[in-house]
């Protein structure tokens, strides 16, 4: 089907709980949220002036794909993703919700983002160059940008408000925030999901350099929430042509970040206007990532 570009939803029948960088979240009932993944694009914690068509559909569909794949490993928050089974009051919004939304169980999110790095990139590479460490993990000397790490490492961060930057923390600091048992439970789950996802993606020619997961509590049970292994929450590199010592071509929004880095912009609002070709190429990268990972095309 043709998916309309959606930059913002306005569903008056239900209370809007939050409008984040990408997602609009509505309160459906005592146990249920409606999560709508829009085509808003954020980079460097600033929302861009132009949407990326199809982006929200790709993020939502990839999350559904991975959550289903790992459902035997960890419960997730999905209640329903078929728009035709949503409450009748949402029917007038069918076209803008189709493919890019889901009904989710209400969860109490943990105040820590669970990040795993298998390769040295982004803020991890910057930290390593400073002191040879990433979030308390001492790494071997002589690693280059994009080097594969000897073993994947768990590098949690605090969750910042919109417009603020997340702060990398150590496992010890995560233990103080979550408690020792819960911190180790999410660390183990994070590493397990990453290893299995990396193995699967490698078989399809994609390196998952790093990714972040979010967990919450639903009825006292640790539950996978938010987005999972998408181009917004991960770095996806083509395995073909991979070579450490430089940044890698990417199926995620790194392409857009790289373009922004070349602009005379101080990374505060307002962002520079995105040229049409940058928007188009970013959409193509998101769609390509979906196709390579799932083996199918967006419906």
């Amino acid at each position: 089907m043709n998916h309309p570009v959606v930059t913002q939803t306005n569903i008056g029948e239900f209370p809007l709980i939050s409008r984040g960088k990408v997602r609009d979240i509505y309160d459906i009932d005592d146990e249920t949220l409606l999560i709508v993944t829009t085509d808003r694009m954020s980079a460097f914690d600033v929302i861009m002036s132009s949407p990326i068509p199809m982006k929200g559909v790709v993020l939502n569909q990839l999350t559904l794909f991975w959550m289903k794949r790992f459902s035997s490993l960890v419960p997730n928050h999905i209640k329903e993703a078929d728009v035709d089974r949503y409450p009748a009051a949402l029917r007038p919004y069918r076209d803008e919700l189709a493919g890019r939304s889901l009904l989710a169980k209400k969860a109490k999110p943990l105040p820590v983002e669970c990040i795993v790095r298998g390769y040295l990139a982004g803020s991890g590479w910057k930290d390593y160059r400073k002191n040879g460490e990433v979030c308390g993990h001492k790494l071997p000397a002589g690693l280059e940008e994009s080097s594969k790490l000897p073993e994947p490492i768990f590098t949690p961060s605090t969750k910042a408000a919109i417009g603020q930057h997340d702060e990398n923390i150590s496992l010890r600091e995560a233990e103080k925030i979550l408690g020792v048992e819960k911190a180790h439970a999410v660390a183990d789950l994070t590493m397990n999901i990453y290893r299995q996802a990396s193995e699967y993606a490698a078989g399809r020619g994609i390196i998952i350099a790093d990714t972040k997961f979010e967990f919450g509590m639903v009825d006292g049970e640790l539950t996978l929430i938010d987005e999972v292994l998408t181009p917004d929450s991960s770095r996806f590199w083509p395995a073909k042509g991979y070579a450490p010592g430089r940044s890698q071509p990417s199926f995620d929004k790194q392409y857009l970040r790289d373009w922004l880095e070349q602009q005379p912009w101080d990374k505060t609002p307002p962002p520079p206007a995105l040229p049409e070709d940058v928007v188009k190429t970013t959409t193509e990268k998101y769609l390509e990532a979906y196709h390579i990972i799932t083996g199918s095309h967006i419906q």
Side-chain angles (χ1 to χ4, degrees):
M1 66 174 285
N2 289 325
H3 293 274
V5 175
V6 175
T7 54
Q8 183 173 302
T9 58
N10 293 288
I11 298 173
E13 288 82 351
F14 298 97
L16 177 71
I17 293 178
S18 79
R19 204 184 295 284
K21 286 182 274 193
V22 176
R23 286 167 185 80
D24 293 350
I25 303 177
Y26 293 87
D27 191 345
I28 299 299
D29 59 38
D30 289 346
E31 298 176 346
T32 313
L33 299 173
L34 170 69
I35 302 176
V36 188
T37 308
T38 72
D39 296 319
R40 293 194 294 269
M41 169 61 91
S42 83
F44 304 111
D45 295 312
V46 175
I47 296 171
M48 299 292 105
S49 52
S50 305
I52 303 298
M54 295 296 292
K55 172 185 178 254
V57 179
V58 168
L59 298 188
N60 191 60
Q61 296 294 318
L62 262 181
T63 292
L64 292 169
F65 170 82
W66 289 113
M67 280 190 170
K68 183 179 179 185
R69 188 170 184 87
F70 294 120
S71 58
S72 60
L73 206 59
V74 59
N76 61 62
H77 69 169
I78 297 167
K79 288 184 81 169
E80 183 57 71
D82 181 349
V83 73
D84 293 321
R85 298 186 183 193
Y86 286 6
L90 290 172
R91 275 185 202 139
Y93 308 97
R94 185 192 183 285
D95 287 353
E96 65 180 310
L97 295 178
R100 67 168 69 250
S101 66
L102 56 86
L103 296 177
K105 299 170 194 168
K106 284 186 176 175
K108 185 178 181 186
L110 300 186
V112 166
E113 293 196 332
C114 297
I115 298 165
V116 53
R117 302 171 192 270
Y119 292 74
L120 204 49
S123 64
W125 167 236
K126 285 178 185 167
D127 290 348
Y128 174 79
R129 279 190 299 174
K130 274 187 219 154
N131 56 18
E133 293 186 5
V134 179
C135 298
H137 295 269
K138 186 75 180 162
L139 297 176
L143 296 179
E144 302 175 284
E145 182 176 9
S146 305
S147 285
K148 185 174 184 178
L149 300 177
E151 287 290 328
I153 55 175
F154 179 62
T155 61
S157 77
T158 57
K159 282 159 92 165
I162 290 179
Q164 304 295 311
H165 296 287
D166 297 340
E167 187 181 327
N168 292 342
I169 57 175
S170 66
L171 178 58
R172 187 66 53 84
E173 289 167 303
E175 288 173 358
K176 289 177 190 166
I177 296 169
L178 300 177
V180 173
E181 190 179 336
K182 202 171 283 179
H184 284 265
V186 295
D188 290 348
L189 267 175
T190 296
M191 301 302 281
N192 203 350
I193 296 171
Y194 175 74
R195 285 195 178 95
Q196 291 191 33
S198 294
E199 194 175 315
Y200 170 84
R204 306 192 74 88
I206 283 186
I207 292 168
I208 304 175
D210 53 41
T211 193
K212 99 181 155 188
F213 301 109
E214 294 209 38
F215 296 93
M217 301 305 291
V218 176
D219 297 329
E221 190 168 32
L222 201 54
T223 302
L224 186 59
I225 64 171
D226 199 54
E227 64 182 315
V228 177
L229 292 156
T230 73
D232 267 22
S233 65
S234 321
R235 280 188 177 84
F236 293 144
W237 297 339
K240 189 176 180 182
Y242 161 74
R246 56 173 171 80
S247 67
Q248 308 298 309
S250 185
F251 291 114
D252 51 54
K253 64 180 174 183
Q254 192 60 43
Y255 163 79
L256 180 72
R257 284 196 201 102
D258 290 345
W259 182 84
L260 288 166
E261 289 274 23
Q262 294 163 10
Q263 309 310 306
W265 178 50
D266 64 359
K267 297 176 185 168
T268 61
L274 301 181
E276 199 175 305
D277 64 311
V278 170
V279 171
K280 183 170 179 283
T281 302
T282 305
T283 289
E284 287 167 356
K285 285 179 176 290
Y286 275 74
L287 288 169
E288 188 178 6
Y290 178 85
H291 174 60
I292 292 172
I293 288 168
T294 67
S296 60
H297 292 283
I298 293 281
Q299 297 300 307

